[in-house]
Amino acid sequence: MKVYKCFSSYHLKDSPHHPLPITKELHKKGFIDISEGTPAYFRAVEPEKVIASLRDKYLRSAEEVIIKLKSYQKGQRENWSPVWYLQGEWNIRGKVRDLVENSEKEFITAFVDAKMALKFKKAFETAKHKGLDVKIILLEKNKRYLNALSRFGEVIPVSLEDILYREEEDFQKIFTEALFSSEAPSRVKGVFVRDGKESIMVYEEDGIIKGLIVRIPFIPLFQRMVILYLIEKSREKN
């Protein structure tokens, strides 16, 4: 370890207790040691000790941030909001798993993009483990996805063309067409509903996957009714 000597400083000339400002700051941070005596000497602390100190400070700061964030989340839960905007596939998958954890009896879903359904396997595994009534609607027929998802619950392939383009009109049919239309600026990829009380709608906008958590009571309930409507119509056809 090299030892360095400080020159040309009136601070060190008169007293070792008044080092240069930068030396004092480094000593305060624990990066250097200062010797007693005149003239004063300083030396760098072993790198391992410096890195360990920085690591400890980083971990303490991270723990403080986590505590503050949890406190903030608790405050936000108290200030209940009926709609939350999500962005990022990782974040959306986590929120869907939370949705399953909060489910009591039923977890029903519908996917325009069957491939996307496989990205939520962990959520389906949790739902199955909890013994929930799991229904998965696929709006495209693909045996690969049907087989892969069937181990999690009831999988129902639905043809929108056969259901939507009949002569009869009803409100649920109109809502279904508006919800799953491929011509809309924001294309719905999937919908998750728990117990008719809360839902997450995943959609794509400008090539970015986004999501909406909805807790307004009548909207998740109506989304549930639409999905069950599609199941009923599909069974009638078959």
Side-chain angles (χ1 to χ4, degrees):
M1 180 64 64
K2 292 184 178 180
V3 178
Y4 300 90
K5 184 176 179 180
C6 295
F7 298 99
S8 306
S9 170
Y10 67 90
H11 291 292
L12 296 177
K13 181 179 179 181
D14 295 331
S15 171
H17 301 295
H18 299 284
L20 290 167
I22 188 170
T23 308
K24 182 179 179 181
E25 187 64 25
L26 290 172
H27 179 62
K28 181 179 178 182
K29 291 180 179 295
F31 296 165
I32 65 172
D33 292 330
I34 299 178
S35 69
E36 296 289 338
T38 303
Y41 292 84
F42 70 92
R43 67 178 181 179
V45 175
E46 288 81 357
E48 293 83 359
K49 292 183 179 180
V50 173
I51 292 173
S53 176
L54 291 173
R55 181 195 61 203
D56 292 342
K57 289 179 181 178
Y58 173 80
L59 291 175
R60 285 196 300 271
S61 297
E63 288 172 356
E64 290 174 1
V65 169
I66 290 172
I67 292 171
K68 289 180 180 179
L69 284 174
K70 286 186 175 179
S71 175
Y72 174 77
Q73 286 179 332
K74 182 179 179 181
Q76 288 299 307
R77 283 194 292 269
E78 291 173 355
N79 297 326
W80 183 82
S81 177
V83 179
W84 286 93
Y85 167 79
L86 304 173
Q87 187 164 320
E89 195 172 295
W90 175 83
N91 186 30
I92 293 170
R93 286 202 301 267
K95 295 301 182 185
V96 170
R97 287 197 296 272
D98 290 344
L99 197 71
V100 173
E101 291 291 350
N102 293 327
S103 297
E104 297 176 357
K105 296 180 180 179
E106 181 186 71
F107 183 64
I108 62 176
T109 66
F111 293 93
V112 175
D113 183 354
K115 184 178 180 180
M116 175 164 283
L118 295 179
K119 296 183 178 182
F120 297 91
K121 286 194 295 184
K122 288 186 178 180
F124 288 126
E125 286 171 354
T126 302
K128 180 180 178 181
H129 180 73
K130 288 187 65 175
L132 300 176
D133 179 11
V134 179
K135 290 183 174 63
I136 306 170
I137 286 185
L138 298 182
L139 301 183
E140 59 173 305
K141 292 183 178 180
N142 187 304
K143 288 185 178 180
R144 175 191 170 192
Y145 298 125
L146 285 172
N147 294 334
L149 293 168
S150 60
R151 61 191 181 95
F152 302 118
E154 183 182 7
V155 183
I156 307 101
V158 173
S159 172
L160 281 183
E161 289 77 11
D162 292 342
I163 294 173
L164 296 179
Y165 301 111
R166 295 175 180 175
E167 293 184 0
E168 68 269 15
E169 292 285 346
D170 58 48
F171 187 65
Q172 284 182 318
K173 175 182 173 182
I174 295 170
F175 185 84
T176 302
E177 188 168 12
L179 182 62
F180 296 111
S181 172
S182 60
E183 298 178 359
S186 301
R187 300 185 60 182
V188 173
K189 294 290 186 177
V191 178
F192 306 83
V193 184
R194 72 160 186 92
D195 304 319
K197 297 177 180 179
E198 183 179 1
S199 70
I200 295 178
M201 184 171 68
V202 180
Y203 63 99
E204 182 178 349
E205 188 174 55
D206 298 326
I208 300 173
I209 298 299
K210 300 180 180 181
L212 281 177
I213 299 178
V214 181
R215 299 188 181 101
I216 302 173
F218 66 88
I219 293 181
L221 182 60
F222 200 79
Q223 289 171 323
R224 175 183 182 273
M225 290 172 62
V226 167
I227 295 175
L228 295 179
Y229 165 83
L230 291 175
I231 293 173
E232 180 186 352
K233 293 297 181 182
S234 177
R235 287 173 175 167
E236 286 179 3
K237 181 179 180 297
N238 296 326

